[in-house]
Amino acid sequence: MRILFVEWKSLCQKDMAEEFTRRGWTVDYYQFPRDKENTRLNKELAEQLLRAMAGKNYDFVFSFNYFPIMSDCCKELNLRYVSWVYDNPYIHVYSYTVLNSCNYIFLFDYSMYQELKEAGIPTVYYLPMAVNKKRLSTIKNTEEKKRRYSCDVSFVGSLYTESKHRLYDKFQNMAPFAKGYIDAVIQAQLKVYGYNFLQEMLTPEILEEMENAYPASNPNASTVMSSAAIYADYVLARQVTSLERRQILERLGSSYEVHLYTNDKSVKIPRVKNKGLVDYYNEMPFVFQNSKINLNITLRSIKTGIPLRAMDIMGCGGFLLSNYQEELLEYFIPNEDFVFYTDYEDLQEKVDFYLSHENERQKIAENGRQKVYTKHTIRQRVEVIFSVLEKSREVRK
């Protein structure tokens, strides 16, 4: 088989390409310009893509996350387009182009898959994230790595402090009653795990006030994602997560050695060491291996899915302490493969317990690693993708 692999700054890129190559497939690469303006409607980019793909006899095109412009080009050339989406929200899957018959869109969050499937979209499939067992199982944890990365508790992820994420700040000058309302909704959602009610709390009156403060509607947009969904998932859920992550780190930082690995080096939290950005391949595995407890604080717009962070923590043999996330409990056994908390007090109690019970902590970490290596590998996921493509080929014959 011959594949065109769409490259951008995505996670798992090397792992996926390695698996394609291991199977004897020929992999060509196309550098996708994610920083380019309006990649959905860019005619120049479309022409470049068509030239890159034409006449190469590719069996399919692959990308992490879905790009409407790539789908349209594959449709024009009668090529299959396989994408694996690991973000939620991801506005591009609400593009009209998802209906293109060339698409095979694999979604990691079952709730997003279910929503699109129930809306009659035939091109979507469910596929949880996974790890590269070969890479992670051969990493050598040296004494130098232990000294560098060891700590009681660590968290790897954004606190959404960067200006591009601070969309909630756009509502500071809206009508006081509306601002008070959405502030209260955010505070309520902070206390609830397992059910996201942000969108259903946005009444027509509140939506009108939000539109006046920061318009989300765009008549020229190629998406059917509603303003309510955009505000709930891109603005409010991000604000909830930002507050939650900071509050948890502040709480734990007062009692333990806590390391934060995040893009924004300017973030300052009392007694928490901000270690800055960490490289996915060369550094992150050692963070997970050498932290006694690894936190997963899921972005609230991920309704049910297992974030890649959680899979990576377990795949590296790290102890995972996560918020409640429905799909984690479907694939893993709580207190055997990982541990979840229900609120801040429960989180504190479990950090206390597992820091003082090393044998239990290490046993759970090892169970989690073995479960991931047995059932959640990149190799297994590619087999699912290949099976879907083969079944589709048979149907079309």
Side-chain angles (χ1 to χ4, degrees), residues 155-156 260-265 273-279:
F155 175 70
V156 179
L260 167 65
Y261 296 87
T262 191
N263 290 336
D264 188 352
K265 198 68 172 68
K273 295 181 181 179
N274 185 342
K275 313 285 278 188
L277 189 63
V278 62
D279 181 78

Side-chain angles (χ1 to χ4, degrees), residues 129-391:
M129 298 311 300
V131 304
N132 183 342
K133 176 182 176 181
K134 178 182 177 182
R135 175 172 64 85
L136 296 184
S137 64
T138 56
I139 288 174
K140 303 300 181 184
N141 193 16
T142 65
E143 290 301 318
E144 187 276 330
K145 300 294 186 186
K146 292 176 183 178
R147 287 193 298 271
R148 182 175 179 181
Y149 297 107
S150 291
C151 65
D152 293 331
V153 181
S154 73
F155 175 70
V156 179
S158 176
L159 268 63
Y160 301 107
T161 53
E162 302 93 336
S163 59
K164 67 178 180 179
H165 294 307
R166 298 305 307 160
L167 299 179
Y168 190 68
D169 295 344
K170 306 287 186 181
F171 301 116
Q172 295 304 313
N173 296 321
M174 68 191 304
F177 84 91
K179 181 63 165 54
Y181 181 91
I182 59 176
D183 282 345
V185 169
I186 286 170
Q187 290 301 316
Q189 184 68 82
L190 268 170
K191 295 176 173 60
V192 176
Y193 293 104
Y195 181 60
N196 185 316
F197 51 75
L198 295 171
Q199 183 174 340
E200 64 190 78
M201 296 299 293
L202 297 180
T203 65
E205 295 78 13
I206 295 299
L207 282 171
E208 183 178 357
E209 291 292 336
M210 296 178 83
E211 280 280 1
N212 290 336
Y214 179 60
S217 302
N218 181 356
N220 298 317
S222 59
T223 179
V224 296
M225 193 174 190
S226 69
S227 295
I230 291 172
Y231 286 133
D233 286 349
Y234 279 95
V235 181
L236 302 188
R238 200 161 292 185
Q239 178 69 3
V240 173
T241 308
S242 177
L243 293 172
E244 180 180 16
R245 290 178 177 181
R246 178 175 285 275
Q247 290 171 5
I248 285 174
L249 293 170
E250 287 175 347
R251 186 182 186 106
L252 298 182
S254 64
S255 303
Y256 316 105
E257 182 186 8
V258 178
H259 289 180
L260 167 65
Y261 296 87
T262 191
N263 290 336
D264 188 352
K265 198 68 172 68
S266 70
V267 171
K268 297 187 185 302
I269 300 174
R271 299 187 63 183
V272 173
K273 295 181 181 179
N274 185 342
K275 313 285 278 188
L277 189 63
V278 62
D279 181 78
Y280 181 77
Y281 291 97
N282 300 316
E283 297 176 290
M284 193 180 296
F286 299 108
V287 172
F288 295 153
Q289 283 187 348
N290 292 298
S291 302
K292 293 177 183 176
I293 293 176
N294 295 278
L295 297 176
N296 173 57
I297 309 169
T298 306
L299 175 60
R300 288 302 188 105
S301 54
I302 300 175
K303 308 297 194 305
T304 62
I306 304 174
L308 179 59
R309 177 196 302 107
M311 290 290 195
D312 281 332
I313 288 169
M314 290 185 283
C316 291
F319 177 88
L320 171 62
L321 178 56
S322 175
N323 61 279
Y324 172 85
Q325 199 70 5
E326 183 178 327
E327 290 176 53
L328 265 174
L329 275 70
E330 291 180 10
Y331 292 102
F332 299 94
I333 301 173
N335 303 323
E336 182 175 314
D337 302 322
F338 81 108
V339 176
F340 75 91
Y341 60 89
T342 56
D343 54 38
Y344 291 177
E345 288 73 24
D346 186 45
L347 168 67
Q348 182 96 44
E349 290 174 4
K350 284 173 176 172
V351 170
D352 284 338
F353 179 84
Y354 285 105
L355 285 179
S356 60
H357 291 75
E358 185 173 359
N359 290 338
E360 289 90 338
R361 189 180 73 244
Q362 290 180 347
K363 183 177 181 181
I364 290 172
E366 182 58 27
N367 287 344
R369 172 159 57 182
Q370 293 306 319
K371 181 68 69 68
V372 167
Y373 285 178
T374 302
K375 297 185 177 182
H376 303 280
T377 66
I378 292 286
R379 184 171 300 182
Q380 291 166 321
R381 300 298 193 253
V382 172
E383 195 61 43
V384 172
I385 291 172
F386 183 67
S387 176
V388 168
L389 291 175
E390 287 300 292
K391 287 179 182 178

Side-chain angles (χ1 to χ4, degrees), residues 106-138:
F106 294 87
L107 307 169
F108 87 104
D109 188 325
Y110 188 83
S111 68
M112 180 163 54
Y113 159 77
Q114 187 176 39
E115 177 189 357
L116 293 170
K117 200 70 176 177
E118 289 178 353
I121 308 300
T123 57
V124 294
Y125 305 85
Y126 171 59
L127 194 69
M129 298 311 300
V131 304
N132 183 342
K133 176 182 176 181
K134 178 182 177 182
R135 175 172 64 85
L136 296 184
S137 64
T138 56

